[in-house]
Amino acid sequence: MARNSQDTKLRILKAANRLFYSDGIRAVSVDAIAEKAGITKKTLYYHFKSKDDLVAEYLMSRDQPNLDAMRKWFDEVDGSVAEKVYAIFDGVVQSSKHPNWRGCGFLRTAGELANMPGHPAIKAGAAHKKRFEGWLAEVFVEHELKNSSGLARQVVLLLDGSFAVMMVHHDSAYIEEAGLAAKQLVEASS
Amino acid sequence: MARNSQDTKLRILKAANRLFYSDGIRAVSVDAIAEKAGITKKTLYYHFKSKDDLVAEYLMSRDQPNLDAMRKWFDEVDGSVAEKVYAIFDGVVQSSKHPNWRGCGFLRTAGELANMPGHPAIKAGAAHKKRFEGWLAEVFVEHELKNSSGLARQVVLLLDGSFAVMMVHHDSAYIEEAGLAAKQLVEASS
DNA sequence: AAAAAGAAACTCACTGATGAGTATACAAAG
DNA sequence: CTTTGTATACTCATCAGTGAGTTTCTTTTT
């Protein structure tokens, strides 16, 4: 057991990540996270002020990785912007096949905490979604599309719609359909 | 206190509705619902087998009213199908201004119970969403649109996307943007 | 270079509150 | 006088958070 602060904190965050994403916020106890991280609850509270604080840090830790995944799917495909946008949805389709996939952790957390509008975790989710939308809008500007910011929003709506519908139907055909709609909208602005 | 089984059950369901929709499933205790309904917990358990059962009945009780609201918004507006579809999004925009509005209870519940895929509440949510999608597809067939079933899915994705994004941003401009996208997609299929 | 002091990282065992669900008893209505 | 509906008062598990003390690392003193 390394008596290393940074290392321990990361292990806690990793355990929180897995459990919160898999089971939801209120369904996961601080005890469960501590046990999964192989430490005691008191140690967890040494590194994090409260459960709410841990939830917020969990989401903040997902911001960059999620964004990177989206960018990667977009960049890796050759073709028109419309086709590259479709590739994002295709990437989500592939991810959704993994047995541990549970949709978008940001949205699920925001939904669970809908009665606490100012919760730092919701702010973290909002920041993440804004960053993604901003990146998309930028890309659309670079490719000289009409109405780039409105179009970015529409793509975001379709993507988050996919996540939402998947929570209910568990049928990736919906993500594909969203991808087709996004492609069509992008083409119409080209 | 009317010693009327049906009446009591309805009062419990109404209390559950308010609390579950407002605060989420796991955040609301059976005690809280019983108190709000003005009865004891034991009486609640006389009418409902378990909390899970109550959650499922809560969602089932929302199926018809929600559907009716959508249909009403669609029917009330004169104009093209595209404009009538836009009216649904406009109806959601208006609803979203109410201080008690918390998005779509079906989606929020499904998200919270994402780790229990077979939960009856999720099945109730799936059934509701399928009914709405089916109704839309029918309408599109009646209006002789191309690709009516795919189009219905795209509209559903945009609508549920609006609900999802609203949980994070609380900005009804997103719902309007989704409405515009839906209108555009419907027009392209006309 | 060794030892002492202090700070950082950690554990064990606990608190008080609240969770879902129940055993038992009693009241009303047919 | 039995069935249906309701209440009081409970069980036992689990929750977020803490009090008090222990171990390891770092820095200062001699």
Side-chain angles (χ1 to χ4, degrees), chain A residues 22-23 26-27 107-108 111-112 114-115 126 130 133 153-154 157 160-161 165 167-169 174 177-178 181 184 188, chain B residues 22-23 26-27 107-108 111-112 115 126 130 133 150 153-154 157 160-161 165 167-169 174 177-178 181 184 188:
Chain A
S22 166
D23 296 344
R26 286 195 245 247
L107 292 179
R108 280 176 49 222
E112 208 176 332
N115 62 332
K130 282 287 178 199
E133 185 185 329
R153 287 200 167 194
Q154 296 185 350
L157 282 155
D160 286 340
V165 172
M167 296 190 311
V168 163
H169 290 318
Y174 281 91
E177 191 67 52
Q184 186 179 333
Chain B
S22 168
D23 296 344
R26 285 194 246 246
L107 292 179
R108 279 176 50 223
E112 208 176 331
N115 62 332
K130 281 286 178 200
E133 185 184 331
R153 288 200 167 195
Q154 295 185 351
L157 283 155
D160 286 340
V165 171
M167 297 191 309
V168 162
H169 291 318
Y174 281 93
E177 190 67 53
Q184 185 179 333

Side-chain angles (χ1 to χ4, degrees), chain A residues 21-24 101-103 108 166-167 170, chain B residues 26 107-119 122:
Chain A
Y21 179 71
S22 166
D23 296 344
W101 191 82
R102 295 275 144 76
R108 280 176 49 222
M166 281 296 281
M167 296 190 311
H170 306 287
Chain B
R26 285 194 246 246
L107 292 179
R108 279 176 50 223
T109 303
E112 208 176 331
L113 305 181
N115 62 332
M116 310 169 80
H119 195 291
I122 296 184

Side-chain angles (χ1 to χ4, degrees), chain B residues 152-173:
Chain B
R153 288 200 167 195
Q154 295 185 351
V155 173
V156 161
L157 283 155
L158 284 163
L159 192 62
D160 286 340
S162 307
F163 290 128
V165 171
M166 281 296 281
M167 297 191 309
V168 162
H169 291 318
H170 307 287
D171 175 1
S172 60

